[in-house]
Amino acid sequence: GGAALAKDMHKDIVNVSHRGASAYAPEHTIASYDMGEKMHGDYIEIDLQMTKDGHLIAMHDVTLDRTTNGTGSVKDYTLNEIKQLDAGSWFNEKYPYASKAEYEGLKVPTLEEVFKKFGKNNSYYIETKSPDVYPGMEKELLRLIDEYKINKEKLLVQSFSPQSLKVMNELDPSIKLVQLISYKANAEITDAEIKEIRQYAMGIGPNHTYLNEEYVQRVVTSGLELHPYTVNDKERMKQLINWGVTGMFTNHPDLLHDVKKGR
Ligand code: G3P
Ligand code: CA
């Protein structure tokens, strides 16, 4: 019946641990990614920046200021310099109720370290951030994917930059891509826009705030996956699932897991 069908659909909803389980641990640390797995996240979401000496690291911002005790642009520091920084204490200060002594002194991980730790058969959802600041980052990403024999069936690469996704697509057409979009008001998309995105991507990742059911239906019936970001409360998760999204990014993968279990 309808209820059983709805339940089965819930099971398939892709649970993306946004920057890891970043409500509970400092974003983009191994601790955060670990917790994402423990909380039943299907994918580890990783934002990429690149160091002065060309290493891809897991970090959201182009600057070190917010998530480490350093200052200035990532691109102006070598990996060795960035490895001296504390990427955990800021979290304890900002979120005392979630703080843990073990977060003090956590290091910024490289993408290479993440691949080594979580393995080739894990599911990674990797974002090329600020590709204009880091020419060649797509090539380096692909080099690491191949060096660590990452299972491409389980890999998704995402970007706000269509240009960056098209570069990835040209370098390796077998890599599955998701076009991120940030709407500033009521989300609308035309059939022509969907057709254009479908030429290189298998999905769209919009901010969830301005979505509506018609938008969701239009995108998913076109055959594209739809993974809104960043959804942190259960009522909104349920609403988006009822509208037809195929997954979502969340700082609380445990809550999405509950929703999928009907709790
Ligand atoms: O990648 C999905 C979402 O994370 C995009 O926004 O700024 O959190 O990377 P941001
Ligand atoms: Ca992201």
Side-chain angles (χ1 to χ4, degrees):
L5 188 64
K7 220 173 173 185
D8 285 347
M9 280 170 61
H10 285 207
K11 272 192 213 145
D12 293 337
I13 299 296
V14 171
N15 187 342
V16 185
S17 295
H18 184 246
R19 314 180 191 180
S22 59
Y24 306 103
E27 65 180 61
H28 294 312
T29 59
I30 298 292
S32 182
Y33 298 156
D34 256 334
M35 205 173 286
E37 286 209 313
K38 291 204 179 83
M39 292 181 168
H40 307 281
D42 299 311
Y43 281 85
I44 300 171
E45 198 243 355
I46 306 166
D47 296 314
L48 293 181
Q49 306 287 337
M50 197 155 85
T51 66
K52 189 179 179 179
D53 50 342
H55 294 275
L56 293 176
I57 60 167
M59 189 173 290
H60 178 272
D61 299 0
V62 289
T63 57
L64 299 164
D65 301 55
R66 182 176 61 86
T67 59
T68 75
N69 59 344
T71 56
S73 300
V74 172
K75 68 172 172 49
D76 294 334
Y77 291 90
T78 63
L79 178 59
N80 188 42
E81 287 166 335
I82 288 170
K83 280 293 183 183
Q84 312 306 314
L85 302 174
D86 175 343
S89 293
W90 70 273
F91 180 90
N92 287 349
E93 284 155 30
K94 191 166 174 187
Y95 307 107
Y97 47 88
S99 70
K100 288 186 182 175
E102 70 211 55
Y103 295 160
E104 276 172 37
L106 289 179
K107 302 290 179 217
V108 174
T110 62
L111 181 61
E112 189 164 8
E113 287 164 347
V114 177
F115 284 167
K116 277 187 194 158
K117 160 91 182 156
F118 293 94
K120 64 180 182 190
N121 280 316
N122 223 306
S123 299
Y124 303 101
Y125 207 136
I126 303 176
E127 180 175 352
T128 55
K129 273 265 179 238
S130 314
D132 42 321
V133 180
Y134 309 113
M137 81 184 305
E138 295 86 2
K139 210 171 166 195
E140 177 61 6
L141 169 57
L142 193 59
R143 189 185 72 75
L144 290 172
I145 289 166
D146 285 335
E147 183 177 341
Y148 287 90
K149 299 187 166 51
I150 301 303
N151 184 344
K152 290 178 187 172
E153 284 301 309
K154 296 183 168 185
L155 172 71
L156 290 171
V157 173
Q158 45 162 342
S159 190
F160 286 103
S161 162
Q163 183 55 33
S164 183
L165 293 179
K166 287 174 188 173
V167 168
M168 283 302 298
N169 189 44
E170 270 167 34
L171 290 171
D172 186 341
S174 73
I175 291 185
K176 294 188 274 185
L177 304 173
V178 173
Q179 178 67 61
L180 299 175
I181 304 176
S182 176
Y183 292 101
K184 305 287 179 232
N186 192 35
E188 286 180 67
I189 194 161
T190 64
D191 288 342
E193 286 167 327
I194 287 175
K195 196 174 164 201
E196 160 65 17
I197 292 169
R198 275 176 59 93
Q199 292 183 2
Y200 58 89
M202 51 74 77
I204 294 178
N207 55 325
H208 80 88
T209 329
Y210 302 109
L211 297 187
N212 55 72
E213 186 166 14
E214 190 200 335
Y215 177 99
V216 171
Q217 283 298 313
R218 188 187 282 259
V219 171
V220 297
T221 57
S222 82
L224 285 168
E225 301 293 320
L226 184 58
H227 299 162
Y229 66 90
T230 303
V231 189
N232 291 323
D233 79 86
K234 287 168 89 169
E235 288 313 308
R236 184 61 167 170
M237 289 171 180
K238 288 176 193 172
Q239 181 178 47
L240 289 165
I241 290 169
N242 286 332
W243 287 352
V245 304
T246 59
M248 64 191 88
F249 297 81
T250 178
N251 300 339
H252 298 260
D254 54 339
L255 295 186
L256 182 52
H257 183 68
D258 279 354
V259 166
K260 286 170 66 174
K261 290 280 182 194
R263 297 195 285 256

